[in-house]
């Protein structure tokens, strides 16, 4: 299944810290700094941003993974220089821009996680819609040990996955969750054996790519915002989004196909 992926050409091919390929509507973006455990340097975060805002129109879903033995070692600590207030805020905002471009981008993203998923690596994974963890994956937030705080959106996104108490414990005590613990805590939606993550991620991306684009848009852009609204506002936003989605020709065609017995039924997987 993975063999049909072809290296991307054009602008995305110039991003040397990413290995980007495409098979049909599915993109595969691999963090490609294995010698540094895919630590996120300024250049890498900028390349992630550039990638996300320049995806081909044919892309409908994406898988992100890491080269080597680890998904991502977080912030490149060798670049952690002392900055003035404004510079430090802007540095964090650069990460926010890149990871927002994942969460609120054009295609849903599956993160395939193995080895270390720590600090900024977990922040990156948390910006994706789906996380698949292999046996080897483990999750840590060593910011406390390093004397820093997170800056890549983790304090907003990670508590929404695992709760503030669990995240505080990780940061204050250095607690590391293994793949099963991360699964139980809500950090991941799928648990697979070592070596099976990419195939699972691609299979999930193929399913997502087959949805009506408006549904993917609604789930990515409306759902997280509805969750943040008051129930009354949320219900109204839901109605607006529902009206917009059902009035597309694609929705009408899909509904007709079901009523004519031409579309798949819902079955147990
Ligand atoms: C790095 C980094 C890095 C590895 N920045 N260079 N993140 C951390 O605190 C995690 C720090 N890293 C580790 O705990 C370990 O490296 C790993 C568990 C991820 C991997 O261990 P291992 O034994 O496979 O590799 P290694 O021998 O530790 O590292 C290999 C090389 O990668 C080595 O460089 P070399 O030149 O000596 O070969 C390491 O220095 C380098 N390396 N991780 C820079 N993180 C927006 S705010 C986000 C805040 C954070 O992310 S804080 C968490 C930072």
């Amino acid at each position: 299944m993975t063999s049909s992926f072809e290296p991307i050409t054009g602008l995305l091919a110039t991003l040397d810290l990413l290995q980007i390929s495409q098979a049909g509507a599915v993109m595969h973006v691999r963090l490609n700094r294995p010698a540094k455990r895919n630590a996120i340097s300024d250049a890498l975060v900028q390349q992630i941003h550039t990638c996300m805002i320049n995806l081909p129109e044919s892309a409908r879903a994406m898988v992100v993974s890491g080269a080597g033995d680890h998904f991502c070692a977080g912030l490149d600590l060798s670049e952690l220089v002392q900055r003035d207030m404004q510079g430090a805020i802007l540095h964090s905002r650069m990460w926010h821009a890149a990871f927002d471009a994942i969460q609120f981008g054009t295609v849903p993203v599956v993160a395939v996680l193995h080895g270390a998923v720590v600090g900024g690596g977990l922040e990156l994974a948390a910006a994706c819609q789906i996380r698949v963890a292999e046996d080897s994956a483990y999750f840590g937030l060593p910011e406390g040990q390093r004397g820093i705080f997170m800056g890549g959106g983790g304090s907003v996104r990670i508590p929404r996955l695992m709760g503030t108490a669990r995240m505080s414990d990780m940061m204050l005590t250095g607690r590391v969750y293994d793949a099963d613990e991360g699964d139980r805590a809500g950090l991941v939606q799928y648990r697979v054996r070592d070596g099976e993550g990419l195939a699972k991620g691609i299979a999930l991306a193929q399913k997502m790519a087959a949805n009506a684009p408006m549904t993917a848009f609604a789930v990515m852009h409306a759902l997280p915002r509805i969750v943040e609204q008051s129930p009354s506002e949320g219900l109204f936003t839901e109605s607006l989004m529902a009206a917009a989605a059902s009035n597309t020709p694609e929705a009408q065609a899909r509904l007709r196909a079901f009523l004519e017995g031409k579309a798949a039924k819902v079955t147990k997987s």
Side-chain angles (χ1 to χ4, degrees):
M1 185 190 293
T2 53
S3 57
S4 57
F5 276 80
E6 298 288 339
I8 195 88
T9 55
L11 171 69
L12 298 192
T14 67
L15 304 175
D16 61 326
L17 302 175
L18 299 173
Q19 198 179 67
I20 306 177
S21 54
Q22 182 173 9
V26 176
M27 309 291 302
H28 179 199
V29 176
R30 200 194 301 263
L31 309 177
N32 198 23
R33 277 190 96 198
K36 296 292 179 185
R37 308 312 186 241
N38 300 318
I40 303 179
S41 57
D42 286 0
L44 179 51
V45 82
Q46 285 164 356
Q47 290 193 14
I48 291 170
H49 193 191
T50 301
C51 170
M52 295 313 300
I53 62 175
N54 288 285
L55 292 177
E57 277 194 21
S58 55
R60 290 276 174 272
M62 177 190 289
V63 176
V64 61
S65 67
D69 291 338
H70 301 280
F71 175 70
C72 177
L75 173 72
D76 187 325
L77 296 168
S78 71
E79 289 187 353
L80 194 58
V81 290
Q82 202 165 353
R83 299 182 173 88
D84 61 20
M85 269 300 274
Q86 190 181 345
I89 291 170
L90 289 173
H91 183 258
S92 166
R93 297 296 292 159
M94 177 174 78
W95 280 58
H96 290 171
F99 291 1
D100 265 13
I102 297 174
Q103 182 178 1
F104 300 115
T106 55
V107 300
V109 182
V110 188
V112 173
L113 307 173
H114 73 298
V117 184
V118 301
L122 182 51
E123 295 185 287
L124 166 60
C128 302
Q129 281 75 24
I130 295 181
R131 285 156 295 280
V132 175
E134 293 192 349
D135 291 333
S136 67
Y138 60 96
F139 306 94
L141 292 171
E143 283 84 347
Q145 286 137 273
R146 310 288 175 232
I148 57 176
F149 190 62
M150 52 198 23
S155 60
V156 169
R157 295 191 178 99
I158 298 170
R160 283 171 167 75
L161 298 176
M162 70 184 322
T164 310
R166 289 194 188 94
M167 180 178 173
S168 301
D169 179 22
M170 288 175 79
M171 292 197 72
L172 291 171
T173 69
R175 179 171 178 173
V176 170
Y177 279 59
D178 67 21
D180 285 333
E181 290 169 330
D183 185 21
R184 285 196 293 275
L187 286 177
V188 305
Q189 294 101 316
Y190 296 90
R191 271 284 288 116
V192 295
R193 289 166 196 260
D194 283 337
E196 294 177 359
L198 192 55
K200 181 69 181 176
I202 291 168
L204 293 168
Q206 285 170 335
K207 283 182 202 254
M208 296 196 296
N211 289 332
M214 185 61 116
T215 303
F217 174 83
V219 173
M220 292 171 64
H221 291 261
L223 181 58
R225 293 184 165 102
I226 290 171
V227 171
E228 301 302 328
Q229 292 178 334
S230 69
S232 169
E233 290 167 324
L235 290 172
F236 191 69
T237 307
E238 179 188 88
S239 298
L240 291 176
M241 195 65 245
S246 60
N247 275 314
T248 56
E250 177 148 8
Q252 292 301 317
R254 285 172 180 245
L255 296 170
R256 213 167 31 249
F258 175 76
L259 295 174
E260 290 168 0
K262 295 178 190 157
K265 295 185 184 185
V266 178
T267 53
K268 282 195 276 184
S269 51

